[in-house]
Amino acid sequence: MPGRLARLLLSLLLALTLLPAAAYAARDTNSYDGNIYALYAGNGSLVPPRSTLALALEEHRPVVLGFFLDDSAASKQYAVVFNELQRLWGRTAELILLPTDPLQNRQGQGAGDPATYWHGEIPQVVVFNTAGKPVLDETGPVSIDAINAALTEVTGLKPQGNVTLSLNREVNELNSEIVPSR
């Protein structure tokens, strides 16, 4: 009987350890929650980028290069800005968002290498013209208006849509404006 009770208790303990733990994601902490663009901007299509910086510059496309960390509160809160840039500029500008972990302690290898432009702070935004020259290079929560102005200068176009953005909006509110609910 004691062996049976021990097996039952062991089975119960094992079952309890295999139960899924509650998942917590917090936009204002430096915890790793997964893909911040899927979680906080409602758009997992932003990473990985469709193109490389080298290819986009070689093809003379306007580029917005953004640096982030998935476990950074500043990057999490700024994710909605990159989502809005994709909505406003569509395929007019190449949006290349890169985590900075692979860039740590690495020297840039020329104009097509993102490490050449990273200053060691996040978030960071660099906007390139079609000649491959940076026209905006700022760190911190860069104003979407400044990015839009740089892209307008580079492309000669205006953003496609309403440019109002609040960094305090909840994800579902932002998504409901972009994708109508049924």
Side-chain angles (χ1 to χ4, degrees), residues 100-152:
T100 59
D101 286 332
L103 305 175
Q104 298 290 338
N105 303 316
R106 190 167 81 70
Q107 293 296 319
Q109 303 296 312
D113 183 0
T116 301
Y117 306 97
W118 186 54
H119 303 307
E121 296 180 44
I122 49 168
Q124 181 186 343
V125 178
V126 184
V127 176
F128 295 87
N129 64 18
T130 55
K133 302 289 182 220
V135 296
L136 175 80
D137 186 349
E138 294 187 20
T139 58
V142 182
S143 160
I144 193 167
D145 295 330
I147 300 168
N148 285 331
L151 285 170
T152 295

Side-chain angles (χ1 to χ4, degrees), residues 58-107:
E58 181 181 308
E59 294 176 353
H60 304 287
R61 290 184 273 167
V63 175
V64 176
L65 177 62
F67 296 103
F68 71 94
L69 276 175
D70 280 319
D71 58 353
S72 159
S75 292
K76 291 175 189 180
Q77 292 166 4
Y78 200 70
V80 294
V81 171
F82 291 124
N83 185 61
E84 275 295 279
L85 289 171
Q86 184 184 47
R87 182 183 72 82
L88 294 170
W89 292 95
R91 296 193 181 265
T92 304
E94 192 67 44
L95 189 57
I96 300 174
L97 305 177
L98 299 173
T100 59
D101 286 332
L103 305 175
Q104 298 290 338
N105 303 316
R106 190 167 81 70
Q107 293 296 319

